[in-house]
Amino acid sequence: MTAGSSNNSSETESRNPLIVLHYNYTGKLLEKENETGNISSTTLAFLIVCSLIVLENLMVLIAIWKNNRFHNRMYFFIGNLALCDLLAGITYQVNILMSGKKTLTMSVTAWFVREGSMFVALGASTLSLLAIAIERHLTMIKMRPYDANKKYRVFLLIGTCWLISFTLGALPILGWNCIGNLPNCSTLLPLYSKNYITVLISIFMALLVAIVILYARIYILVKTSGRRVTNHNNSERSMALLRTVIIVVSVFIACWSPLFILFLVDVACQCRECDILYKAQWFIVLAVLNSALNPLIYTLASKEMRRAFFRLVCSCIVRSQGQSVPIQPTQNFSRSKSNSDNSHKVKSDFTKNSLIPSIRQKSECSFHSRDC
């Protein structure tokens, strides 16, 4: 027996027969068998994009955590949305690394955890957008400033979003799947029941419709209402946040709608009838790109977030340069002296420039104490 045949026989023995059965029934077994263990250029590009998603959203979370001006309801929800996007980047990265022939050797529990984590991230993102829409709607109706003593309600609502998301993502592993009922299996997710996918996509679409209705009502209230906020600066900041969130919702719908439609096609088609179902990776990539676009929307649409984001990047660059200066040896003392003088000048200029906006922020916070 040759070495190649022995490797093939060992791979065949290590396969999970239940997963092989479902992938063979849906016509995806041959696709998994033909995949090599090598990382292609496309896969490498996807992994790089996922790493950027994690880095971007981590910086958004750090910017919100370090800036006291962002410690209010709206930015807590935006931070929760960034956490959802960070989870989406990590789970898709793991999904890529555990795909291919590794899928056929996974346990059923590991398979459900791998696929369910994406639905957890999707559910948390959708529910976070709904929570933001509800908060904006109540703020526009009541026209009341933010009450810092009611932060517990925000965290309670965020916790509820995650609890519902984990519950929806865990339903297949708890028993709502198509094991033992092959005709009811999804082609995209061969162990998922079509009934489960139908209910899940219906819930997500209903949430998106509710979000659109709420923002349409907010827009009408802003345009038609004769009431005005007493502080003009607070009104401008609220409208800027409203525009930012509306862009986030629009991008979310544009990125996720093709995948939702593909899931509905999966439910409607019989097994092996629709060829489009075997090209789902491009629809998933478009959905995951939404998590990369959200941080860009925050920084481009919101002046405050953009200022905090760039300040965080600049501080990281300055710290890295400051750590690398003592390591480099210098032989010419005159050059080292001039370099130290220049570095001292740069540091003093940076300190001077960084103190000015911080003083302005403190003065603004003292003037608008309710928002800070």
Side-chain angles (χ1 to χ4, degrees):
M1 182 181 291
T2 62
S5 60
S6 62
N7 290 334
N8 292 333
S9 61
S10 62
E11 288 180 0
T12 304
E13 291 175 358
S14 63
R15 288 179 176 181
N16 189 320
L18 184 60
I19 293 181
V20 171
L21 174 65
H22 282 257
Y23 273 80
N24 184 41
Y25 179 80
T26 56
K28 299 184 73 174
L29 180 61
L30 185 62
E31 173 190 347
K32 296 298 178 182
E33 288 179 338
N34 291 334
E35 292 184 5
T36 61
N38 299 327
I39 297 179
S40 63
S41 57
T42 304
T43 303
L44 183 61
F46 291 164
L47 290 174
I48 293 174
V49 170
C50 290
S51 300
L52 290 176
I53 289 172
V54 174
L55 181 62
E56 286 177 348
N57 288 282
L58 185 61
M59 293 190 70
V60 170
L61 288 172
I62 294 174
I64 293 176
W65 174 59
K66 283 185 168 262
N67 211 313
N68 290 330
R69 291 175 66 101
F70 297 153
H71 292 180
N72 57 55
R73 274 184 303 191
M74 191 61 183
Y75 283 104
F76 287 151
F77 285 125
I78 290 179
N80 184 54
L81 188 60
L83 181 61
C84 299
D85 292 332
L86 187 146
L87 176 63
I90 294 175
T91 52
Y92 190 58
Q93 216 167 14
V94 173
N95 201 308
I96 292 174
L97 295 174
M98 296 300 295
S99 62
K101 290 184 178 181
K102 295 179 182 178
T103 301
L104 304 177
T105 61
M106 297 176 68
S107 65
V108 175
T109 302
W111 189 93
F112 279 125
V113 171
R114 187 190 72 175
E115 304 299 339
S117 57
M118 288 296 295
F119 284 101
V120 171
L122 170 61
S125 298
T126 311
L127 290 170
S128 297
L129 291 174
L130 179 63
I132 294 173
I134 293 173
E135 189 274 334
R136 288 288 89 192
H137 186 259
L138 293 177
T139 302
M140 290 296 177
I141 289 177
K142 296 181 179 180
M143 291 296 178
R144 292 179 181 176
Y146 171 65
D147 188 357
N149 296 324
K150 295 182 179 180
K151 285 184 180 179
Y152 70 93
R153 295 185 182 179
V154 177
F155 295 114
L156 181 63
L157 188 55
I158 290 175
T160 304
C161 292
W162 282 101
L163 180 61
I164 295 173
S165 302
F166 275 108
T167 302
L168 291 176
L171 286 178
I173 201 173
L174 296 176
W176 195 357
N177 50 58
C178 67
I179 296 177
N181 186 13
L182 288 176
N184 193 33
C185 287
S186 162
T187 301
L188 295 175
L189 301 168
L191 271 68
Y192 274 21
S193 170
K194 287 186 177 182
N195 297 332
Y196 167 75
I197 290 178
T198 303
V199 172
L200 198 65
I201 298 303
S202 300
I203 291 173
F204 288 148
M205 286 190 168
L207 291 175
L208 289 177
V209 170
I211 291 169
V212 172
I213 291 174
L214 282 173
Y215 278 113
R217 181 167 171 76
I218 291 171
Y219 182 80
I220 293 173
L221 284 173
V222 171
K223 288 296 183 181
T224 59
S225 177
R227 294 175 295 180
R228 293 291 181 270
V229 184
T230 56
N231 194 320
H232 181 67
N233 291 331
N234 290 340
S235 177
E236 287 185 349
R237 291 169 59 188
S238 298
M239 288 304 302
L241 280 173
L242 178 59
R243 286 193 297 268
T244 302
V245 176
I246 289 177
I247 295 173
V248 169
V249 173
S250 302
V251 172
F252 182 88
I253 294 174
C255 291
W256 281 94
S257 293
L259 186 60
F260 288 166
I261 295 172
L262 189 68
F263 273 116
L264 294 179
V265 172
D266 182 22
V267 172
C269 284
Q270 296 297 322
C271 185
R272 304 186 184 223
E273 284 187 356
C274 300
D275 295 336
I276 189 67
L277 298 177
Y278 300 98
K279 300 177 181 179
Q281 65 271 18
W282 299 106
F283 293 86
I284 298 173
V285 168
L286 178 61
V288 173
L289 279 177
N290 174 71
S291 300
L293 294 176
N294 282 340
L296 299 179
I297 296 172
Y298 305 149
T299 55
L300 292 177
S302 173
K303 287 183 179 180
E304 292 180 344
M305 181 63 75
R306 181 167 63 248
R307 198 175 297 145
F309 196 84
F310 289 145
R311 188 178 298 130
L312 179 63
V313 174
C314 292
S315 64
C316 293
I317 294 174
V318 169
R319 286 178 183 176
S320 64
Q321 290 178 349
Q323 292 176 357
S324 62
V325 167
I327 298 176
Q328 298 176 353
T330 55
Q331 299 296 331
N332 193 335
F333 294 98
S334 62
R335 290 178 63 184
S336 63
K337 183 178 180 181
S338 62
N339 289 336
S340 62
D341 292 336
N342 291 334
S343 63
H344 179 72
K345 184 179 180 181
V346 170
K347 287 182 179 179
S348 62
D349 291 339
F350 175 78
T351 306
K352 186 185 298 183
N353 293 331
S354 61
L355 280 174
I356 294 174
S358 63
I359 294 172
R360 289 177 180 173
Q361 285 186 1
K362 289 181 180 179
S363 62
E364 288 178 3
C365 286
S366 61
F367 182 73
H368 308 301
S369 58
R370 290 182 176 177
D371 293 326
C372 302

